[in-house]
Amino acid sequence: MAGILKPPGAFAVTPHKVSVCILIQMYAPPAMMSVPFPFSSVAQHNRFGLYLFALTKSCEDILEPKLDELINQLREIGDVLYQWLTDQLISRLSSLSSPDDLFNLFSDLRAILGGTDLSAVDDEQVVLDPNSNLGMMSIGIICMKGKLQVLPKISYCAQLQRFNVSTSVEIIATHDCGSVLLSDLHRRGVCHLLTNIGIYCKEALSSCPAYELPCLDDSSNELEALSEYENMDLENIVFEKVNKEIEARKKASEEVSFHLHAPKALFGLVEDIKVSAVSKSQGGDKCREASPSAHAPNDAMREFDSISGAFLRTNWQMQGYLMEQADAIEKHGSSFSLNSFELILRQLQKLAPELHRVHFLRYLNSLYHDDYFAALENLHRYFDYSAGTEGFDFAQPSIGCNSFGRYEIALLCLGMMHFHFGHPKQALDVLTEAVCLSQQHSNDTCLAYTLAAISNLLSEIGISTTTGILGSSYSPITSIGTMLSVQQQLFVLLKESFRRAESLKLKRLVAANHLAMAKFDLTHVQRPLLSFGPKTAMRLRTCPTNVCKELRLASHLISDFVSESSTMTTDGAFSTSWLKNLQKPMGSLVLTQENVSGKDSNAFQFCAQPSSIPGSVLQLVGSSYLLRATAWEAYGSAPLTRVNTLIYATCFSDGSSLSDAALAHVKLIQHLAVFKGYKEAFSALKIAEEKFLSVAKSRILLLKLQLLHERSLHRGHLKLAQKVCDELGVMASSVTGVDMDLKTEASLRHARTLLAANQFSEAAAVAHSLFCMCYKFNLQVENASVLLLLAEIHKKSGNAVLGIPYALASLSFCQLLNLDLLKASATLTLAELWLSFGPNHAKMASNLIQQALPLILGHGGLELRARAFIAEAKCLLSDPSFSVSQNPEAVLDPLRQASEELQVLEDHELAAEAFYLIAIVFDKLGRLAEREEAAALFKEYVLALENENRQDEVDPLLSTP
Amino acid sequence: MSSKESCRNELRSAIRQLSNRCLYSAAQWAAEQLVGIEQDPAKYTPTNTRFQRGSSSIRRRFRTNDITSTPVAGVSYVSTPVMEEDEVEDSDFYLLAKSYFDCREYRRAAHVLRDQTGRRSVFLRCYALYLAGEKRKEEEMIELEGPLGKSNAVNRELISLERELSTSWKNGTVDPFGLYLYGIVLKDKGNENLAHTVLVESVNSYPWNWNAWSELKSLCTSIDILNSLNLNNHWMKDYFLASAYQELRMHNESLTKYEYLQGTFSFSNYIQAQIAKAQYSLREFEQVEVIFEELLRNDPYRVDDMDMYSNVLYAKECFSALSYLAHRVFMTDKYRPESCCIIGNYYSLKGQHEKSVVYFRRALKLDKNYLSAWTLMGHEYVEMKNTPAAIDAYRRAVDINPRDYRAWYGLGQAYEMMHMPLYALHYFRKSVFLQPNDSRLWIAMAQCYETEQLHMLEEAIKCYRRAANCNDSEAIALNQLAKLHHALGRDEEAAFYYKKDLERMEAEEREGPNMVEALIFLATHCRAHGRFEEAEVYCTRLLDYTGPVSFTYLKNL
């Protein structure tokens, strides 16, 4: 007996697997028809088969689905079959009341295999390519059976590859094993299994009371009788386990390492553990109550149960699980429940103190919950223990792991951590050390990543000069570090990192570098790097084609990964992703909703092969779309911005990190505000706020403040505007590290508020200092808008002569950086300035407006368009050669449009102006009734403007939507 | 302090009671203290007293004042009545059970006592069960140890024991020994607060059980917890406080306590060893060595605490003494963690680091939580240039006891060796935080700041200043301070530190390149500021040293 068979304690025959067996039976009932009973078509049958295949694959998963989840999955396969399948499954499961029933089940299964195997094998070998779905599926079933009988010692991938050669061998092997298994299934194990099945059913059925449980009493009686026996058996089991472990170690040296977290299986029996599990589950529930939106506790609890349950886990599975959790943490950010996950990790650490990756997960967990000290401590601990390579069995000495360990990675991580917590200077210091160390250890990969990290840091965080930071160190940067500006350094770094990444074939990094390059190209004018020698023609502009090129190159990444799908299966996370991909519909959610109306049962397509594209790649590609959106935003094409953001939101949202998703929402809502007015934007904002409840709060909050500010400026509610502005200023304070964008935004808005309050000199002062800051930190795009603001200030203060140079400067900046929309708006401002010189210059102004008008009409938001219309009308009105009575529509039409748009925008001031002009036109035309109407509206808006200023007691942030 | 005679009587009956309950280590401890009380010379033969006198003479050399004569005022000791045994006649079952127990057949012992109701029998049964569970736990740990580390083997008797003891505690039928057992069970189960209460109750009603005190000590992880304990004033409390202070790194406090206790227990080996431990922590190696020499003379087969002695010998590079010690413990009991550690030190001093690692490994196999072995193994790996292994070892030490500044320091050094000064700083900071008065740590940190990679001289200066303030024995800090100030162009400060360094060197009668350097700088400095007389003095002193420098200087003047 003992020779072939594993000791019963090591069996992983779980209720879930029993139900999979039942499903397999349903798939292939003994009567061999081409399409067995409940299935109406071959396609349906096949789909079910595919699903079963995925189920068997996911048996490697660390979590086993509960029965109700299984039923839910069944429901997704097809609603026609769903009822029948679940009924069958549940009735068969609950009819398992004695070991004999189990025996019958398994011998039936064997009959399926045994009855057809020889012929079936022939069939398959003749007809089926193992890569086809059916072939894969039958392998799956065979694997499944193998799995039921002995713990899989060979990974599935290996099995699949070997299948071509050895199908029949395996079938015979399983056949033998099956007979041994059935006769020898340990009584105790069977009884356990039966109770487990009972519990498994009960859990699921408590929610659907229709089903009875006839069998539970029986088995529990039996179990009680056996409990004494259990204790006596203990020593024996322990001994066998030790043996097994030795075996496993031998195995580990051959292939994938396999580790048994064996002792747990033992103590799962002891009452003590159960008690602790219960008490902990209560803790978990509390967490869930505390944060309703949190994602983790539910899963976590189950995970916890199954860890403390009597299952063995391979090292591989653990690593996979941990990786998956790492992704989840990143994706869900702080809504990922800190405590419950910490609990699991602690438990894991207790069970396997040498599994060091747990420390890394703890680091991530505390990082995303902004616990600086815990993060620091855990990071150091992880790298102290593992030297950057996991444990002693996961390290692959062949791949780049030298005897020094990989402490440069520790430095890289530390640098990123400081960056995350907003300590740019420390981050730079640490990263510089990482550069030195990776050079010393000639770890080029790490060097490339470090350089990329540094350039990321430089581009994200405002540092006016790096001398004293980078300059003091030994690095390739040093030699140029002292002469170049930050931007030039950044450029060099980017190039360097890119070159290195490409030569090392780090595809992801290459793509990331493309993105960084695109970002750089977007906002910086490139100058020749070295100032000696004959200069190449200086092209002092940004180059949109470069940006476009980089972005396209970044997107090529995904095709790289699709084409090499098979090589990416080394992750343990892979096996866990099987079912997840199944559940994902092929198209986007939006599209499937439309399809549902057609009642097409095939709409729910499975992809049998899991998507082999790692999440990180998807994320990168997704962010390339976001960056595209940003680029178009800058270049001034609103529709393209919107399209790219939508692509991102529909295709990449499930793989994206939380902050990226929030950014996409922000962009869409901003678009709404500019084109559809504030009402719609605020209702959308409400949805977004619910979605990103606690998470990425700053970004959504920022958006809310921006919208509030814009609206109150338009309405003329200046006190509110000032308050919101102050709020923004608080956000920009340097407690959490300096965010230059936020800082410029805050002072820009401050200046605009002052301008709206007609405090021109103060506004001009603020704008000036802002300009100086932008100049210092080389924020050229911001410079353009600041200059435009200065022009506006001078225009409004009646100092048009002073305004014109600013407008021109802004124009040239826009030209330089290809900021088309901003350029159009600068042109408009310039026209307005000319117009204010008097009727003599109306022609000039009109010309300018005509120049800008196509772009404004095509891409401009409500405000810009309205302004253009009004300016156009004003030009005509002040043009002495133009007579209103001859061509009234030429003036009235734009004015009407402007007034409509301004009404949507709730811009009282401009609306009043528009109606005033309309009234004047009607007056000239002598259409008195219409004149009165327009005048009444004018009055209404003027009053509204005044009212807004008066009602100021209401707390702005609470009362507004 | 109650009279020596009463102490003696208390201890004598305590030893009997403790060994009746098979609490052997506590009985051993009590017996050691009993013998440690100074004998009345009238009652004993001269040979006995001579032996004691002779040994104490060495100790007296290091005594500054006789504390015995000045008892602490205002402390009144409660006299706890010596407990009466409830079963005067030993029952037959008890005798059988005890003999089984003595043969380490714990379950048998427990079984024999299953129906006995006497308190002593009940305690012995529970204790036997506890030990049986512990034994099984240890075995399982070895059997089940997986490649990913240890399983969480548990003592499976804990639950039933806890149930039984908690009911009898609530009924009030439990004796102090039962309370002690209940305390450890609670502590093993992680219920530390209740364990505190129970253990305090136990020691208040029966203070002579040193096991209970030491369990209580291990629960006192901070001074606040220690102060919050409500303990009766018994002389055993002084023992407890002394060792608790030591645990909390309040070495001077603990030293005073021990010296005070020595008034009564003047020949206690235990106290001597503890004093040695405190002195060791204060880095008074000379005294430690003397104490240990005396200890070894009185108790030549002692292994306890000898690892510390070996550390001292190692630090002082007393090769022959260490060799002697290693051979002796090897003969006495080579499979004790302390012995392995001593042998490891011995090989390390011999430069055979591989062998030394083997022995440290063995020590750790015998006791996985043996802190100093982890640290020492880390040192060995550093010597062998296997930094990742060293880091791993140090990190384990730190995880066992996060207050072990030596291991933090080791981690820092290892990273510094790998040219990661910035990363190392984190660890140096930790160690300096734990031991702010150790100049070596500050100097290490300063050197880290000084490296070419970082070149953060201001920070380095701050660290050196701290080092100079805490009595830098190797006199690196002053010289470095002067140098750094000089390099930063602050000549006044540089001159100040050179002068200080010079004074120090004069006081310690040291000479060397530092002296020349200081003199040259001071001479130039004084001349530049027009203080020619001073400069002349320095130049004249320079004449003492060989080399043509001084002449040219003097000539220039």
Side-chain angles (χ1 to χ4, degrees), chain A residues 47-92:
Chain A
R47 208 161 49 241
F48 185 56
L50 281 180
Y51 169 67
L52 279 182
F53 179 54
L55 264 187
T56 53
K57 289 295 282 185
S58 67
C59 282
E60 280 284 277
D61 196 346
I62 191 151
L63 298 179
E64 293 212 316
K66 287 184 188 164
L67 185 54
D68 47 354
E69 284 160 340
L70 189 68
I71 290 173
N72 281 338
Q73 284 171 5
L74 278 175
R75 185 182 293 151
E76 282 169 9
I77 308 178
D79 36 9
V80 194
L81 282 177
Y82 155 68
Q83 271 303 329
W84 187 82
L85 286 174
T86 40
D87 282 356
Q88 281 282 314
L89 178 63
I90 289 168
S91 66
R92 285 201 211 179

Side-chain angles (χ1 to χ4, degrees), chain A residues 126-349:
Chain A
V126 175
V127 183
L128 295 176
D129 173 15
N131 290 329
S132 78
N133 287 342
L134 247 183
M136 296 267 278
M137 176 201 71
S138 48
I139 300 160
I141 291 173
I142 289 159
C143 294
M144 181 61 220
K145 290 188 176 163
K147 192 173 184 57
L148 267 176
Q149 286 144 12
V150 287
L151 259 187
K153 294 225 126 182
I154 313 158
S155 73
Y156 278 112
C157 297
Q159 229 167 353
L160 279 178
Q161 280 158 6
R162 225 180 302 155
F163 184 71
N164 277 333
V165 197
S166 62
T167 318
S168 43
V169 178
E170 279 196 22
I171 286 177
I172 290 162
T174 49
H175 192 83
D176 286 350
C177 284
S179 58
V180 179
L181 161 87
L182 296 173
S183 52
D184 286 338
L185 253 184
H186 205 288
R187 234 182 115 67
R188 192 174 67 83
V190 173
C191 289
H192 253 289
L193 181 57
L194 281 174
T195 16
N196 282 342
I197 292 176
I199 295 164
Y200 174 75
C201 291
K202 210 182 190 172
E203 274 174 2
L205 297 183
S206 55
S207 52
C208 39
Y211 298 101
E212 296 283 317
L213 292 169
C215 58
L216 272 178
D217 295 355
D218 270 2
S219 55
S220 58
N221 278 342
E222 221 156 338
L223 195 82
E224 272 173 25
L226 284 166
S227 59
E228 270 188 6
Y229 180 59
E230 262 171 46
N231 284 333
M232 289 169 63
D233 210 23
L234 222 69
E235 189 64 46
N236 187 23
I237 294 177
V238 170
F239 176 68
E240 278 171 327
K241 268 192 190 16
V242 174
N243 266 357
K244 243 190 92 59
E245 191 139 61
I246 294 166
E247 234 173 281
R249 278 189 205 189
K250 278 185 208 148
K251 263 275 180 310
S253 57
E254 294 166 25
E255 252 199 46
V256 185
S257 53
F258 244 79
H259 290 298
L260 304 173
H261 301 252
K264 207 57 216 177
L266 223 89
F267 295 112
L269 307 174
V270 182
E271 176 200 31
D272 179 33
I273 299 291
K274 277 181 195 153
V275 172
S276 75
V278 168
S279 69
K280 284 196 173 143
S281 76
Q282 282 163 351
D285 280 337
K286 264 179 221 153
C287 292
R288 187 161 24 181
E289 280 162 25
S291 53
S293 72
H295 135 94
N298 207 356
D299 274 6
M301 276 317 306
R302 237 181 31 183
E303 165 58 19
F304 184 84
D305 286 348
S306 60
I307 284 180
S308 65
F311 298 118
L312 303 179
R313 305 285 174 218
T314 59
N315 189 4
W316 204 46
Q317 280 177 323
M318 287 319 300
Q319 301 280 5
Y321 167 72
L322 291 180
M323 273 184 200
E324 204 180 63
Q325 292 303 310
D327 283 350
I329 292 176
E330 199 206 341
K331 193 166 156 190
H332 297 280
S334 52
S335 74
F336 200 88
S337 163
L338 171 73
N339 290 325
S340 60
F341 189 54
E342 183 69 25
L343 212 68
I344 293 167
L345 289 176
R346 226 174 274 156
Q347 183 79 4
L348 259 179
Q349 201 192 339

Side-chain angles (χ1 to χ4, degrees), chain A residues 104-130:
Chain A
N104 289 337
L105 173 73
F106 286 122
S107 50
D108 283 353
L109 257 184
R110 205 177 115 209
I112 300 173
L113 248 185
T116 54
D117 57 2
L118 289 178
S119 57
V121 167
D122 288 344
D123 280 353
E124 279 165 9
Q125 280 178 340
V126 175
V127 183
L128 295 176
D129 173 15

Side-chain angles (χ1 to χ4, degrees), chain A residues 341-398:
Chain A
F341 189 54
E342 183 69 25
L343 212 68
I344 293 167
L345 289 176
R346 226 174 274 156
Q347 183 79 4
L348 259 179
Q349 201 192 339
K350 224 165 128 195
L351 291 177
E354 299 292 329
L355 186 69
H356 300 307
R357 186 158 292 195
V358 172
H359 296 302
F360 193 71
L361 267 282
R362 288 175 80 173
Y363 153 67
L364 283 181
N365 200 14
S366 32
L367 179 72
Y368 280 94
H369 288 94
D370 292 338
D371 185 346
Y372 175 76
F373 291 103
L376 189 67
E377 197 47 50
N378 280 313
L379 181 76
H380 278 284
R381 181 171 292 139
Y382 171 66
F383 283 102
D384 284 349
Y385 272 131
S386 64
T389 57
E390 171 60 50
F392 28 80
D393 42 32
F394 216 67
Q396 291 154 321
S398 55

